[in-house]
Amino acid sequence: MALPLTALPGADSVDDPSYAELIAARPSLSVDPVAGLMLEEVSLARIAAVVGTPVWVYSAGTLRRRLASLRAALEGAGLNATIHYAMKANDNLAVARVLAAGGAGADVVSEGELRAARAAGIPASAIVFSGVGKTERDLRLALAEDIFQINAESAEEIEMISALASSLGRVARVCLRVNPDVDARTHAKITTGKAENKFGVAIGDAPAIYARMAALPGIEPIGIAMHIGSQITAGMSAYRAAYAKLADLVRALRAAGLPVSRVDCGGGLGIPYRDEIAPLPEALAGAIKATLGDLGLPVMIEPGRWLAGPAGVLVAQVILQKGATRRFVVLDAAMNDLLRPAMYDAWHGILPVGAAALTAPLSPADVVGPVCETGDTFARGRAMPALPPGSLVALLDAGAYGATMSSTYNARPLAAEVLVDGARFAVVRDRQSYEDLLARQRLPAWLSP
């Protein structure tokens, strides 16, 4: 039986949502009065006891629910649209398999992601290859797999694709990615649609480049692509501005007699990590319909964070609490596991896992990791209960850009990953051992003992 959320304490800071608010906004989370914090029907404490910490835990139900919601929004707007999951958000095979089973394709940016998408059961006919620096090896694999679409990001890349495809006796289906010079009003490190960003070609140069692409051997030009950034929460104005430019470009290309058979709208729809008012998928579908709907073309979208972010938590154990005048809660998870707070000053909700801790009095604490960097800090002045050594906490909304951005800094092995599906759970990526960590290193002969 779930514990009523009204039994949970409020936040000490008026700026932060309470535990009750954090849980209520995340349907996969609940509180059992004995077992504590639950993801779907599985106790996070049980997973920690079996698998150890730190551990990433993903909710299959959340992935399915969000994919279905996004598809319903697109269909409700009357759009002929396909969804291609951005593998960079979370490339775990089990995560991708759940989404593939729901009908999602994939958006990949490397050979590794392409191989992962195929291993997860995503057909080559549903894979888009994006990215500003595709190598010849990347493109050879894309051509050999006969993937659905390559998004070319420069005139130079188009020449490279043409030469390679022709030499292999292949024809590459290519979209031209344009840079609309639109500010998505997101973090500077994840905006991709401004003129100073490295992505795509200037939209003013696109007609000439597209015409050149159409004249080259080994290429079938199929449309225009655009992606203006990630974690976009500032409404639909940036999307509408960018898509309006995209529509004008399509009309100009058609007027020049050039073939355009689809439009790739990219991704970037943000999620509420704290208390942001994030746009609903219906709003994105409406923006696409209003700006591109009269073109009569199929559209594609490439969400990553929106699908995977809310599906994951990072469970960590408290090593110790320290400090008399300023309380530090030191976890066994660190910035090498979840980089977003250190890299983007990102806010993640942090919940105690134990039932008693969830209802205990709160006081400010800095929640930090053990890495030798001051930046290894998950929260400052966060309202937290007393958390003696061995206590567990869950860092929320860690399903996207969590495990995929992990490193072995400070020689810390990569954490295990677990998938929860109803009352079941399974390890879907083993914890890296110290032997694994050292296995690929070699001493040169002159240094050998």
Side-chain angles (χ1 to χ4, degrees):
M1 180 177 180
L3 186 71
L5 297 185
T6 53
L8 303 184
D12 280 7
S13 168
V14 294
D15 296 327
D16 290 340
S18 68
Y19 291 169
E21 290 168 332
L22 288 171
I23 295 170
R26 291 155 180 83
S28 61
L29 292 177
S30 63
V31 180
D32 182 275
V34 176
L37 193 62
M38 310 282 289
L39 187 68
E40 298 194 27
E41 300 170 48
V42 179
S43 160
L44 291 176
R46 181 182 167 212
I47 292 175
V50 173
V51 182
T53 57
V55 58
W56 306 95
V57 188
Y58 309 126
S59 161
T62 300
L63 293 167
R64 294 188 188 105
R65 182 171 58 251
R66 294 183 73 81
L67 178 60
S69 172
L70 186 55
R71 178 174 290 108
L74 295 167
E75 292 176 352
L79 295 169
N80 178 9
T82 53
I83 299 169
H84 302 264
Y85 168 61
M87 292 285 290
K88 58 182 170 287
N90 187 323
D91 61 11
N92 187 280
L93 297 187
V95 168
R97 177 67 66 88
V98 170
L99 294 170
D107 169 58
V108 305
V109 296
S110 70
E111 177 183 343
E113 286 187 1
L114 174 52
R115 291 185 181 276
R118 296 292 285 120
I122 298 174
S125 59
I127 294 177
V128 179
F129 203 137
S130 302
V132 73
K134 304 178 198 70
T135 66
E136 182 177 309
R137 176 170 168 148
D138 290 332
L139 292 170
R140 281 183 180 274
L141 180 62
L143 290 166
E145 289 282 328
D146 193 25
I147 67 167
F148 179 68
Q149 175 178 311
I150 298 171
N151 286 347
E153 303 221 12
S154 66
E156 294 80 2
E157 184 184 351
I158 289 168
E159 299 286 343
M160 183 178 174
I161 294 170
S162 172
L164 187 58
S166 297
S167 72
L168 296 172
R170 299 271 186 167
V171 175
R173 290 174 290 274
V174 180
C175 267
L176 177 64
R177 178 173 176 178
V178 299
N179 186 319
D181 194 21
V182 168
D183 186 356
R185 291 184 288 165
T186 186
H187 194 286
K189 292 181 179 179
I190 52 175
T191 187
T192 60
K194 296 175 68 176
E196 63 264 31
N197 300 143
K198 65 183 179 180
F199 301 96
V201 303
I203 197 163
D205 297 336
I209 294 173
Y210 198 90
R212 169 64 178 164
M213 183 170 74
L216 285 171
I219 289 181
E220 177 190 351
I222 60 172
I224 299 295
M226 179 183 290
H227 176 64
I228 60 174
S230 183
Q231 185 51 13
I232 299 171
T233 58
M236 288 294 109
S237 59
Y239 279 121
R240 285 177 176 268
Y243 294 158
K245 291 186 176 185
L246 198 59
D248 288 342
L249 175 59
V250 170
R251 294 185 186 100
L253 295 176
R254 283 174 159 175
L258 294 167
V260 181
S261 59
R262 65 183 50 253
V263 175
D264 186 336
C265 299
L269 195 63
I271 62 173
Y273 285 97
R274 192 177 189 175
D275 53 6
E276 304 93 329
I277 306 299
L280 295 174
E282 288 79 5
L284 177 63
I288 295 172
K289 179 70 172 180
T291 51
L292 300 169
D294 65 351
L295 297 176
L297 293 175
V299 299
M300 312 162 67
I301 64 167
E302 295 155 358
R305 183 195 315 267
W306 197 88
L307 291 172
V313 299
L314 175 60
V315 179
Q317 186 174 105
V318 175
I319 299 173
L320 54 83
Q321 291 185 105
K322 57 170 284 186
T325 58
R326 188 179 185 97
R327 181 165 66 118
F328 292 90
V329 176
V330 185
L331 307 180
D332 64 357
M335 63 184 286
N336 75 289
D337 299 302
L338 181 59
L339 182 60
R340 295 190 70 257
M343 187 169 185
Y344 305 120
D345 293 320
W347 194 97
H348 283 264
I350 305 175
L351 292 174
V353 169
L358 276 162
T359 59
L362 307 177
S363 62
D366 290 359
V367 183
V368 302
V371 158
C372 293
E373 300 271 358
T374 300
D376 184 25
T377 299
F378 296 116
R380 292 181 174 85
R382 188 71 62 86
M384 301 297 295
L387 292 167
S391 302
L392 298 172
V393 299
L395 288 86
L396 306 183
D397 304 311
Y401 305 104
T404 51
M405 295 180 75
S406 295
S407 74
T408 57
Y409 185 45
N410 280 196
R412 291 170 49 84
L414 298 175
E417 296 175 57
V418 167
L419 182 73
V420 169
D421 196 351
R424 303 172 293 180
F425 75 90
V427 175
V428 292
R429 181 175 280 154
D430 291 330
R431 186 178 308 281
Q432 189 179 33
S433 69
Y434 286 103
E435 290 75 19
D436 294 336
L437 193 65
L438 299 174
R440 294 188 177 274
Q441 297 193 46
R442 297 288 184 272
L443 288 171
W446 69 87
L447 292 178
S448 298

